[in-house]
């Protein structure tokens, strides 16, 4: 019975670690645009562009309304509307129409540039599967655990930890998928903020802060993906070095159950920190873009 419980415990820990690795790898695949099927970027991108086309007729009406509003503001501020004002408003109308058509190309260029940075970040540092790194050491230490009570206590203490580690991996994957959905939503509604381009400073000059904030927000979401990848790479480097140090410092006199517990709790601590960091990447990216 003791051996069966040890095997169950070993399978539980390895399943949690390999599951975490698998979920994080899946998240990285989504962030790099290497997903397949429903998450194939090119396929979904083109489909979302079709949805954005449905907004264009309304956006053309919005451009006209914005021009009327801007013209009314100009009339309030000046006694005589000069030809320069008409020229500015006419150019704004042309640029608004052009912005609607060019926006998808510009957004895709921003996304592609972010993917280049992500790919570069993926090639930095040593990346080693945590499941493969810890499986041998956990199995060795479990073989040194004796007594049904000790094995049962270790099983109970690590069962929830293993579940929490896997949940952390799932949360990272959810955040990665959420980032892609956010990009697609921005793409789908891109004609709408572009239609407000003519709204300026009320003198016929300037361009809408709505349009500016839209493009800044999209760039921030692209930068968020880069930051998530950086967080993941830093996590694997730090936690890998920590686990290596713990394995090297483990001596024959150290309680085997304590070593297994410490390895699991160290992994859980790192996974929680990673989830918190990944969740904060969106606000970090927006802070950087707003500061520019």
């Amino acid at each position: 019975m003791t051996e069966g419980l040890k095997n169950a415990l070993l399978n539980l820990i390895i399943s949690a670690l390999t599951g975490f690795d698998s979920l994080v790898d899946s998240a990285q695949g989504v962030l790099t645009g290497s997903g397949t099927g429903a998450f194939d970027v090119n396929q979904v991108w083109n489909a979302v562009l079709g949805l954005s086309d449905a907004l264009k007729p309304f956006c053309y009406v919005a451009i006209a309304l914005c021009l009327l509003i801007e013209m009314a503001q100009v009339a309030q501020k000046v006694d005589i509307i000069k030809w320069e004002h008409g020229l500015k408003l006419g150019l704004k109308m042309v640029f608004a129409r052009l912005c609607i058509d060019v926006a998808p190309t510009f957004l895709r260029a921003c996304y592609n540039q972010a993917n280049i940075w992500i790919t570069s970040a993926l090639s930095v540092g040593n990346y080693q599967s945590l499941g493969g790194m810890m499986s041998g050491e956990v199995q060795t230490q479990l073989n040194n655990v004796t007594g049904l009570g000790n094995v049962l206590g270790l099983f109970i203490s690590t069962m929830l930890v293993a579940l929490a580690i896997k949940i952390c991996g799932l949360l990272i994957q959810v955040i990665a998928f959420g980032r892609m959905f956010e990009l697609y939503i921005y793409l789908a509604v891109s004609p709408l903020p572009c239609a407000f381009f003519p709204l300026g400073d009320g003198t016929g000059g300037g361009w809408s802060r709505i349009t500016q904030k839209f493009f800044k927000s999209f760039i921030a979401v692209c930068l968020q993906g880069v930051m998530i990848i950086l967080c993941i790479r830093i996590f694997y480097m730090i936690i890998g070095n920590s686990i290596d140090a713990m394995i090297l410092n483990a001596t024959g006199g150290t309680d085997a159950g304590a070593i297994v517990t410490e390895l699991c709790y160290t992994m859980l601590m790192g996974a929680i920190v990673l989830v918190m960091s990944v969740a904060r990447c969106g606000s970090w990216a927006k802070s950087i873009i707003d500061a520019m």
Side-chain angles (χ1 to χ4, degrees):
M1 182 175 178
T2 302
E3 291 301 320
L5 197 57
K6 284 183 180 180
N7 291 332
L9 179 58
L10 176 63
N11 292 332
L12 177 66
I13 295 174
I14 300 306
S15 174
L17 295 175
T18 55
F20 179 86
D21 288 330
S22 177
L23 291 168
V24 172
D25 285 341
S26 177
Q28 290 184 114
V30 172
L31 293 172
T32 56
S34 59
T36 57
F39 298 103
D40 179 62
V41 171
N42 293 324
Q43 180 181 348
V44 179
W45 193 279
N46 293 330
V48 173
L49 279 178
L51 295 175
S52 69
D53 289 340
L55 289 176
K56 288 185 178 180
F58 170 77
C59 292
Y60 298 147
V61 176
I63 291 174
L65 293 175
C66 291
L67 286 172
L68 291 175
I69 294 172
E70 185 72 2
M71 189 178 297
Q73 291 178 340
V74 172
Q76 289 179 347
K77 293 184 177 182
V78 298
D79 295 330
I80 300 175
I81 299 179
K82 300 180 180 180
W83 66 269
E84 291 93 341
H85 298 120
L87 178 60
K88 290 179 181 178
L89 293 174
L91 289 175
K92 281 187 176 185
M93 181 181 67
V94 173
F95 279 121
R97 178 68 172 81
L98 183 63
C99 186
I100 290 176
D101 293 335
V102 173
T105 303
F106 176 76
L107 297 181
R108 187 58 190 263
C110 294
Y111 173 78
N112 289 340
Q113 182 60 53
N115 266 7
I116 293 174
W117 292 340
I118 289 173
T119 304
S120 300
L122 286 173
S123 62
V124 177
N126 296 323
Y127 182 86
Q128 186 176 357
S129 169
L130 295 175
M133 180 188 301
M134 292 180 61
S135 59
E137 181 64 20
V138 170
Q139 185 173 11
T140 301
Q141 297 299 332
L142 284 178
N143 291 333
N144 296 328
V145 179
T146 59
L148 179 60
N150 292 332
V151 176
L152 184 60
L154 186 60
F155 184 88
I156 295 173
S157 64
T158 56
M159 180 174 59
L160 294 179
V161 175
L163 178 61
I165 291 172
K166 207 162 187 177
I167 290 175
C168 288
L170 180 62
L171 290 174
I172 293 169
Q173 188 181 49
V174 168
I175 293 172
F177 284 145
R179 182 250 185 184
M180 292 305 301
F181 275 106
E182 192 172 358
L183 287 174
Y184 294 143
I185 292 298
Y186 273 111
L187 177 63
V189 302
S190 59
L192 193 57
C194 293
F196 290 95
F197 183 93
L199 290 178
D201 54 12
T203 63
W207 57 301
S208 174
R209 292 183 67 250
I210 297 174
T211 310
Q212 294 179 46
K213 290 185 69 175
F214 168 76
F215 285 113
K216 281 188 174 183
S217 297
F218 183 87
I219 294 172
V221 177
C222 292
L223 185 59
Q224 177 189 5
V226 180
M227 289 186 168
I228 291 175
I229 290 294
L230 290 175
C231 287
I232 291 174
R233 304 303 293 188
I234 292 171
F235 162 79
Y236 271 91
M237 286 189 286
I238 293 176
I239 204 69
N241 292 335
S242 298
I243 292 174
D244 281 340
M246 291 173 62
I247 292 174
L248 290 174
N249 292 332
T251 60
T254 307
D255 181 64
I259 295 175
V260 174
T261 303
E262 188 177 0
L263 286 171
C264 292
Y265 276 94
T266 300
M267 176 63 200
L268 176 59
M269 180 193 67
I272 293 174
V273 172
L274 177 60
V275 171
M276 294 174 62
S277 300
V278 168
R280 291 283 298 166
C281 283
S283 60
W284 291 343
K286 289 179 181 178
S287 297
I288 292 174
I289 297 300
D290 289 339
M292 295 174 64

